[in-house]
Amino acid sequence: MWEEKNNALYRKFEFKDFSEAFAFMTRVALEAEKMNHHPLWTNVYNQVEITLSTHDAGNIVTEKDRKLAKKIDAMV
């Protein structure tokens, strides 16, 4: 579930292992590139944390972030 806090959308994902987490990140990266809307994220072993905000709108949550979050949810 995405949380809206500090003018950003945040969600933590947990996978079976590193390979599964990395495959998920690859799918997200391809979609983010298509949208030209790139996440702030971290990955440690099987966990991926993603933060979304729109930098050129003043680092706030916009429809672009909500659209990418929906697409990310569909990849899990």
Side-chain angles (χ1 to χ4, degrees), residues 1-13 49-53 61 65-66 69 73:
M1 179 67 110
W2 291 93
E3 297 174 48
E4 189 167 340
K5 61 182 185 180
N6 301 323
N7 294 320
L9 292 178
Y10 167 83
R11 183 166 175 192
K12 183 177 184 177
F13 299 86
E49 294 181 65
I50 300 177
T51 302
L52 301 172
S53 67
V61 176
D65 303 300
R66 295 185 197 291
D73 285 345

Side-chain angles (χ1 to χ4, degrees), residues 7 36-37 52-65:
N7 294 320
N36 193 30
H37 192 56
L52 301 172
S53 67
T54 303
H55 305 292
D56 56 0
N59 291 316
I60 61 170
V61 176
T62 66
E63 193 53 37
K64 252 182 152 174
D65 303 300

Side-chain angles (χ1 to χ4, degrees), residues 6-63:
N6 301 323
N7 294 320
L9 292 178
Y10 167 83
R11 183 166 175 192
K12 183 177 184 177
F13 299 86
E14 193 166 320
F15 299 93
K16 184 181 78 173
D17 55 27
F18 177 76
S19 293
E20 201 175 281
F22 196 86
F24 167 74
M25 291 178 70
T26 301
R27 292 190 303 274
V28 171
L30 293 171
E31 188 59 44
E33 187 64 19
K34 277 191 233 172
M35 293 178 65
N36 193 30
H37 192 56
H38 306 96
L40 170 66
W41 58 9
T42 61
N43 165 241
V44 177
Y45 182 56
N46 69 332
Q47 297 181 0
V48 177
E49 294 181 65
I50 300 177
T51 302
L52 301 172
S53 67
T54 303
H55 305 292
D56 56 0
N59 291 316
I60 61 170
V61 176
T62 66
E63 193 53 37

